[in-house]
Amino acid sequence: MRRYILAAALSAVIFTAFAQEGSLLRFKYKKDDSYRILSTVQEDVKVNGRLNHHAEIVSRVTINVTDVDEKGNGSMKGSFMTSESSTSSVGQHFSWGEEFKSSYKRDVRGVFDIEDTYFMPTIRNVPVFPEKAVKPGDTWTAEGYEAEDLRRTFNVEKPFKVPFVASYEYLRDEAGESADSSHTKKTFQVISAKYNIYYESPVPENSWQLGEYPASTMGYSHRIIYWDNEKCQIDHCDEQFRIVIETSMGNQFDFSGTTHEEITEFTRTATEEVLKEVQKQVEKLGLENVSVVKAEKGLTISVENIQFKPDSAELVNSEKEKIKKIATILQAYPDNDLLVSGHTALAGTEKARQQLSEERAESVAKFLVSLGVKDKYHVFTQGFGARIPIASNKTEAGKAKNRRVEITILDK
């Protein structure tokens, strides 16, 4: 629940100005910069002391810097998507989850200015940098807060804000590899950010309507932040956390686990130049019933009349060979995530069409992962049933075109 997006607290490149007595840490924003933040959470959820379930959650954020003022403060627009793992007959996958939009400002030290209409990002004002230059061993503190989304759990309509004071320490310089596909050897500056939470909630004015609501929140977060001085940006981050919410009815909800976040730039694929290049490769590889179009989320490769074994989601061998060829195209975009979408013709019940489209998307995604194109944390799936036809379902030729799987190289 709580770990939808931790990463957007790190949602800008960082400028490090070196001084004789240390480094002056400041966010530096550049208009039209875009990047992706991927957060993977392993979380145990307990209710009243008993393990309710274990969740593996992937949160994907894309950030665009829309403006920078004369003081260097940035205006951002972000798209936030969270997916929780599930298991089906074709294996484990991450389906494309609900998307949230957000808009906010952040100053050069890292302080947020965001309206209460936005639930994302969850963690705000981490990190916030000190006024003066720092060197390994230096410490500082800064106020921050969590903005929890409790609409589904407790019917709380605005972000539920839990304040904290974070303690920071510039720990060391450390050799490592970059989080992007190049795995370039880097020297990172490493910062520790820790905070504890204890917050007693005021009684809501409409408490009689809510029935149950959060009475107190307690817990901690310990985060290690790595950034790259050469590229002047956060590279990755690791966190351990635990949050316990006690309700007005005496129930206790306990969320604990770990988070890993990586921040990478990606190639813009929904351009005329990339479109023509991929179309040329499709033609060169002799791929039949395959088209390429610019789409809302990136560049989409559509495999029409895709063949599975009867009434199943298992690809026939000829289609596997086709997907292998498409995989060679996808490997040219190692830092772009993939979205695999399944579509069916108009046949059978709506429920059956939806299930089949999801399973077929999962089957193609699983095969791409097995080919080593991406790991499972960078491939998402989505099923649409017969809701988005590209041809008439009144003819067999039209049905064949509608029976398709689309692979989108994401650039948003």
Side-chain angles (χ1 to χ4, degrees), residues 175-244:
E177 294 183 347
S178 62
D180 63 20
S181 61
S182 69
H183 301 298
T184 305
K185 294 188 181 299
K186 298 285 184 178
T187 298
F188 298 112
Q189 291 180 298
V190 185
I191 287 181
S192 167
K194 298 180 180 180
Y195 60 83
N196 295 316
I197 288 174
Y198 183 79
Y199 181 66
E200 293 187 1
S201 311
V203 178
E205 293 181 1
N206 62 336
S207 60
W208 60 275
Q209 292 177 313
L210 296 176
E212 188 172 24
Y213 57 87
S216 66
T217 304
M218 63 195 80
Y220 68 87
S221 169
H222 180 197
R223 189 172 309 181
I224 302 294
I225 300 167
Y226 300 78
W227 76 76
D228 178 354
N229 285 335
E230 292 181 7
K231 294 182 70 175
C232 298
Q233 69 179 16
I234 294 277
D235 189 84
H236 61 282
C237 172
D238 293 298
E239 183 204 29
Q240 292 182 323
F241 67 88
R242 184 184 180 194
I243 295 293
V244 179

Side-chain angles (χ1 to χ4, degrees), residues 73-144:
N73 305 318
S75 296
M76 323 281 184
K77 286 189 181 296
S79 178
F80 299 74
M81 187 283 297
T82 297
S83 175
E84 190 164 334
S85 65
S86 60
T87 303
S88 71
S89 59
V90 292
Q92 192 178 59
H93 71 283
F94 290 94
S95 59
W96 192 262
E98 184 177 3
E99 291 185 71
F100 298 88
K101 302 297 182 181
S102 188
S103 179
Y104 56 89
K105 294 181 180 179
R106 200 172 189 192
D107 72 14
V108 293
R109 292 184 55 231
V111 178
F112 273 78
D113 179 7
I114 182 169
E115 297 178 2
D116 278 347
T117 53
Y118 298 110
F119 286 85
M120 300 295 173
T122 302
I123 310 299
R124 300 171 185 180
N125 300 356
V126 177
V128 169
F129 298 114
E131 296 284 359
K132 63 180 182 179
V134 291
K135 58 185 181 298
D138 284 350
T139 62
W140 67 94
T141 61
E143 295 181 351

